[in-house]
Amino acid sequence: MTNRKSLTEYVSAFTHSLMHLGITDVVISPGSRSTPLAYACMKQEGLTVYRQIDERSAAYFALGMAKASGNPVMLLCTSGTAAANYFPAIVEAYYARVPLLVVTADRPHELREVGAPQAINQINLFGSHVKWATDLPMPEDNNLLEFLARHLHRSVATAKTEPKGPVHLNVPFREPLRIDFDQPFESRGEMMHFTGEFKLNQETETFLQGLLQTERGLLVVGEMAAPMPQEFWQFIADLQWPVLADPLSNLRANVKPEHQHLIIDSYDAILKSEAFKESMAPEVVIRIGPQPVSKPLTLYLAAVKPKTYVVFDESAMMRDAQSVVTHHIQSAAKGLWQLPLEARENNAYTAKWQQASELYWQLMDQHCEKELDEGVLAKVLFDELEGCHLVVSSSMPIRDLDTYFQTTDCDVVVYANRGANGIDGVVSTAFGVQAAVKRPTYLLIGDLSFLHDMNGLIASKMQETDLTIVVMNNDGGGIFSYLPQSEEERYFEDLFGTPTGMNFEDAARMYDTEYASAKTKEELVQALRTPKQKAVKIIEVFTDRQQNVKVHRKLWNRLSEELSK
Ligand code: TPP
C-alpha cells in the first residue's frame, strides 16, 4: 500500500518539477483517480488551475492556451474514457505542433485488464499522435523522486523541442488517494536545462543568397505562432518579393502602413483567374510555415512546379502534400531573414501582384456595398476588430478569413486549428486562447461547429473570460455547397447540408451568456458595438447557404473579368 507520506511527497515533487520546468497552467477535469495530483496542483504556488468537466473540451481548452502562449500546458484527468476524450485535441496538437503535457491517472497495475471499474488500457493510448508516452511507476516508498524529476524533464523538453507536440504521462495511483496538505516538501534539487541555437551553415547561406537574386520570386508564409520581429520586416522590404501571407501568418494585422504594400493578402482570389496565373509563374518560391489554407495557391504551385521551391521546416516531416518542394532547409524560419541582403528597387513582377491586389480590394469594396452574404458579414466583423484575438473555425470561417481579411495596422492576432482541420473543439480552443492572452477574444464559427462543442461554454462557469462568439448560422454545412457533391441533388441535404433547424437563443440562456442576432450588416455592426455585459456574448448571424454561393461566385466572376482586361 502507498502510504500517505510517500504519496504526498511524490505528487509534491511532481508539481515542484513542473514549476521548475516552466509549466504554469494546468487544466483539470474532475475524477477520483487523479485526486492526489489534482490536490497537489491546487496547492502548488505559481501553478494556475483551470477546470472543465468535459475532457474533450478541456483538451481543446489546453490546446488553445498552449497555441497562444507557446508554452506546454498540462492536462489532468481520471482513468477510463475520460482519458480517451482527450484524443481529438491531441491529434490536433500533434499535427499543429502545439506542446501539451497530457497526464492521465490510472489504476495500479494489479487492477488493469482484470475487469476493475473505470479501467481501460491506457498504455500508449494516443498511439503515434504523441511525441513520447510513458507509464510512470507507482509512488511507493522508495527512491523514485530523482527518476520522476528526470522523466518530467524529458517530457517537457520533448514537448518543447521543434516540432513541438503532445507528450503523454500515464500515472498510476493506488488507494487511499488523499494527501497530507500540511506535509512540508523539500526539493532534492532539479536538473538544469540549456538549449543551443541552430544556425544555417555557409553552404546553405550561399545557396539561398543565389536564389534571392531572382526578381521572379515568391515568399509564401504559412501559419506563424508568433508575431514577426522587426528584422523580418526589414528583410522583406529589402527583398521586394511579393509576400503571400496566409491568414494565420499573422502578417495581415499589426502591419505598419509603410509595410502593407509588401503583403499580398488576396492571392487566394487572384489565383482563381486563369489570365493572371498564365503570366505570373515564379522562378523561385520560398515558403516558411506550413502549407497555406488556400487551395488555389496549392493547385497553382502544383501546376507551375517551380524549378526551385524551398521550404524551411525544423522537422524531418516536411509538409509538402503535392510533392513539389525541391529543397528542404531543416532550420527555423529565422534562418531566412537573418541572411544579409542589399536593398532592391520594386520590380515589375512584384508591381503586377500589387496592382492585382489593389484591384481586388477596390472590387471588394464595391461588392460589400451592394451585396449581402456570409462573406460580406464576416468582413463586417473583421473590420470592427481592434485590440483583440480572433479564433476562426474550420470550414467557411477560415476561408472567409482568407478572402475578406485585408491587411491592416489594427491589433488583431489570429488563430485556428489547422493541424487536422476539425470542426470539433473550436469553442474550447477560443476559451483557451483567451485564458492565455487575457484579452478580449472573438470567435467566428459555423452552426455545426458550434453545436459540436457547445459544452465548451461551461468554461465560462469555471473561470473568468471575455469571449464574443459570432455564429454564422446557415442551418447546416455551408462549405459543401461549394464542392462537387452539390451538383448532385439526390441526398445532398441528407448527407452534406444536414440542416438542424436550430438556433442558439435558448442555448445562450442555458449557459447564461448574452445574446444578439443579426441578419444585416447594420444589425451586426450594432451587435458588435453594443458593450458586452456578460463574460460571453453570442451573436447569431442568420444567412442562407444558396445565397452565399451565388454572391461568392459573383465576386470571383467579376474579379476574373477585370484581371483578364
Ligand atoms: N467532423 C469533424 C470533427 N471535422 C470535420 N472537418 C468534419 C466532420 C467534416 N466537415 C467539414 S466542414 C463541415 C463538416 C461536417 C461542415 C461545417 O459546418 P459549419 O460549422 O456550420 O460551417 P459552414 O460549412 O457552414 O461554414
Side-chain angles (χ1 to χ4, degrees), residues 243-247 251-252 260 262-270 357 360-361 401-408:
V243 178
L244 275 46
D246 183 74
L251 290 180
R252 295 196 194 178
Q260 287 180 9
L262 299 168
I263 299 296
I264 305 295
D265 48 16
S266 53
Y267 58 87
D268 179 73
I270 297 172
S357 207
Y360 173 75
W361 289 112
L401 185 78
D402 211 356
T403 308
Y404 298 94
F405 195 103
Q406 186 172 12
T407 304
T408 171

Side-chain angles (χ1 to χ4, degrees), residues 362-381:
Q362 279 165 19
L363 292 176
M364 177 65 87
D365 282 344
Q366 295 163 14
H367 177 83
C368 291
E369 188 82 4
K370 282 204 305 263
E371 305 287 351
L372 180 67
D373 79 333
E374 207 165 291
V376 172
L377 289 162
K379 188 165 187 321
V380 168
L381 166 68

Side-chain angles (χ1 to χ4, degrees), residues 501-522:
M502 291 168 108
N503 68 56
F504 301 110
E505 190 168 3
D506 286 342
R509 201 169 301 127
M510 180 172 141
Y511 287 99
D512 190 27
T513 78
E514 213 171 314
Y515 177 86
S517 69
K519 283 194 172 122
T520 64
K521 294 172 243 184
E522 295 71 24

Side-chain angles (χ1 to χ4, degrees), residues 395-397 421-424 446-449 452 474 476-480:
S395 207
M396 287 314 286
N421 301 0
I423 57 160
D424 47 347
D447 52 305
L448 295 191
S449 183
H452 228 294
N474 55 29
I479 195 166
F480 298 114

